[in-house]
């Protein structure tokens, strides 16, 4: 998983290098206001790294989602040169693992699961005035739902659907024509309620994604 994260970091830096080259070579005036609004579609892939256990050790074992691949997409409508609203969906074919809970008990895989997240996001971007917007740093925030679908024996019940808040920073890089590259670091925060203890626990799932998209 560390090697996979390194691959995505390498691709992210390659995209920035391409954008920087374009930035220095392309010194045309910025596009007039109104020519940079409308829909945008991105396909995304990356890794997800949960920072917290779903449940802590309560005498038997705790539960954790290990790092895994993640994919998805986002459709954004840019209402102005600075503000856009988007709908994002993310999916990870993750697993659940037990955290050791006593002498002689070791961690192990409990079974396969699906990690699903859907959010509505408000995005603010910074356009480059001297290069027709070859680089677009941005911040985004929003909210939605996170669903965990566990396919093993649920004793106790592990699947859950919870409200989720999200925030991210990233950069879009204009590659050619209407094609853009994107790299992003996203935090997805939610509360998981244990069916055993009824206690809620804050979850912070970090997503690192890259992607390519088309702006119309």
């Amino acid at each position: 998983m560390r090697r996979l994260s390194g691959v995505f970091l390498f691709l992210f830096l390659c995209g920035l290098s391409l954008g920087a080259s374009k930035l220095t070579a392309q010194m045309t005036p910025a596009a007039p206001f109104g020519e940079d609004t409308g829909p945008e579609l991105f396909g995304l892939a990356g890794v997800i790294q949960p920072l917290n256990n779903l449940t802590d050790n309560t005498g038997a074992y705790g539960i954790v989602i290990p790092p895994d691949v993640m994919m998805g997409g986002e459709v954004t409508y840019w209402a102005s040169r600075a503000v856009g609203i988007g709908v994002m969906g993310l999916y990870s074919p993750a697993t659940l693992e037990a955290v050791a809970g006593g002498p002689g008990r070791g961690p192990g895989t409990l079974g396969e699961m699906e990690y699903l997240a859907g959010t509505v996001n408000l995005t603010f971007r910074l356009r480059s005035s001297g290069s027709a917007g070859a680089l677009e740093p941005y911040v985004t925030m929003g909210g939605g739902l996170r669903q965990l679908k566990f396919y093993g024996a649920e004793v106790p019940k592990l699947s859950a659907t919870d409200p989720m808040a999200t925030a991210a920073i990233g950069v879009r890089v204009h590659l050619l024509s209407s094609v853009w590259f994107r790299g992003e670091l996203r935090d997805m925060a939610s509360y998981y309620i244990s069916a055993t203890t009824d206690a809620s626990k804050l979850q912070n799932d970090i997503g690192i994604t890259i992607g390519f998209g088309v702006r119309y």
Side-chain angles (χ1 to χ4, degrees):
M1 185 54 61
R2 289 183 179 177
R3 180 176 297 179
L4 185 59
S5 301
V7 169
F8 282 101
L9 179 60
F10 173 74
L11 293 175
F12 176 57
L13 293 176
C14 285
L16 290 181
S17 298
L18 288 172
S21 298
K22 187 180 181 72
L23 188 66
T24 55
Q26 176 187 320
M27 296 304 292
T28 56
F33 181 83
E35 290 188 5
D36 200 22
T37 59
E40 171 188 88
L41 174 64
F42 264 88
L44 307 170
V47 294
I48 183 171
Q49 169 67 72
L51 299 183
N52 312 92
N53 293 347
L54 280 181
T55 63
D56 289 320
N57 188 333
T58 58
Y61 56 82
I63 301 171
V64 64
I65 303 175
D68 217 311
V69 298
M70 183 171 63
M71 62 202 76
E74 183 174 21
V75 177
T76 302
Y77 181 81
W78 293 104
S80 72
R81 290 177 58 84
V83 180
I85 184 168
V87 178
M88 170 183 280
L90 295 172
Y91 166 79
S92 174
T95 58
L96 276 183
E97 290 188 356
V99 180
R105 181 185 296 274
T109 300
L110 297 176
E112 302 297 320
M113 65 168 290
E114 290 182 340
Y115 182 109
L116 301 164
T119 61
V120 176
N121 305 310
L122 187 64
T123 302
F124 303 91
R125 62 182 174 179
L126 178 63
R127 297 307 311 270
S128 177
S129 60
S131 63
L135 295 177
E136 289 184 2
Y138 67 90
V139 296
T140 184
M141 60 194 70
L145 294 174
R146 182 190 74 167
Q147 183 180 56
L148 303 178
K149 296 179 66 176
F150 182 62
Y151 292 99
E154 293 196 292
V155 184
K157 179 178 172 60
L158 298 176
S159 298
T161 300
D162 303 298
M164 182 180 74
T166 185
I169 58 173
V171 63
R172 289 168 167 84
V173 181
H174 190 196
L175 298 180
L176 52 90
S177 184
S178 58
V179 178
W180 291 73
F181 168 85
R182 164 175 156 177
E184 182 181 274
L185 176 66
R186 178 175 293 269
D187 179 28
M188 297 170 284
S190 61
Y191 278 94
Y192 180 81
I193 300 177
S194 171
T196 303
T197 63
D198 202 35
S200 62
K201 183 173 174 59
L202 176 65
Q203 306 296 308
N204 286 101
D205 304 323
I206 302 299
I208 303 173
T209 59
I210 61 172
F212 294 90
V214 177
R215 184 172 298 174
Y216 297 97

